[in-house]
Amino acid sequence: MLKYANPTFFLPLVAKLLPWLAGATVAAFAIGIWGAFFSAPADYQQGETVRIMYIHVPAAWLSMFCYATMTASALGTLVWRHPLADAAQKAAAPIGAAFTFVCLVTGSLWGKPMWGTWWVWDARLTSVLVLFVIYLGLIALWQTIEDPGRAARGAAILTLVGVVNLPIIKFSVDWWNTLHQPASVFRMGGPTIAPSMLWPLLVMGIAFTLLFTTLHLMATRNEILRRRLRRLAIQTATGETNAQPTHRLTMTGGAE
Amino acid sequence: MNATHAGFILAAYLICIGVVGGLIVVTWLDHRRLKRALAQFEGRRGSDAP
């Protein structure tokens, strides 16, 4: 397993896996969307608006799953200093931010007709907004610190600090009185959703997970190539600098 | 389907498709750009070799 966590083995493996993953993602979305619109019934209280659930809930799951993946990568960076861990963590942040954004916007579009408001500062919504801000903060951190090693360590520490938000998101609906409904799928005593609505939701959850895996592999591959390019640029610049010292500043700048 | 709520449902799905589609396109374009840049570097290094 660890053999494939080496960039030399990782890149060919990704090239082989991506077409299969992309195909499985499209197939899962096709079944999930069909189930959400043509098989699942309308809710007896919410009517057709409940169909927003089939993208809102999987996006919420993935926003947290993505952060959990980043936390595992952060441990890989700080504890084992694995070369692929930092690349995987950096690649996951924009994907996590995108899923969290989708979760917030679709939740708002669901909340307006059901609650009569686009937004309330209740514990669930606010903690998910905090997660979105943490993602943006991590992306900004990587952009701001020029030295990749320092950026990786800083981002890993911030990620580990931010992981405290995950149980807050999960249990916010139990710990505080919120407008947001309590857990109805992953809860003690089993799901409270009708099976006719549950299966399309679970299929959409699988589709979103496959989408995340596909995007994450693509983005991690890009990060490895970016680092390879950076190293080549520095090597080339150093070589040319040694030959022509007067061009040093320009070449170093170009390398960055 | 309630016409008012259909707008909310449509907007939610379109935003989701837009964000996810945008992410896929940006990642794919980034990959193309990086591959091209790497090929240029390797080509330059090959031509510089004695």
Side-chain angles (χ1 to χ4, degrees), chain A residues 121-191:
Chain A
W121 291 99
D122 88 350
R124 171 59 70 85
L125 277 71
T126 308
S127 53
V128 174
L129 182 66
V130 168
L131 180 69
F132 184 59
V133 172
I134 292 173
Y135 276 127
L136 295 185
L138 282 165
I139 294 167
L141 190 73
W142 270 300
Q143 297 290 326
T144 316
I145 302 176
E146 208 170 323
D147 176 24
R150 281 185 59 208
R153 281 191 297 279
I157 291 166
L158 180 59
T159 304
L160 291 179
V161 171
V163 78
V164 74
N165 194 37
L166 291 192
I168 293 176
I169 294 173
K170 169 70 184 155
F171 297 110
S172 56
V173 286
D174 303 322
W175 291 343
W176 295 286
N177 285 322
T178 59
L179 191 55
H180 195 282
Q181 66 166 61
S184 50
V185 179
F186 298 114
R187 59 185 286 280
M188 300 285 278

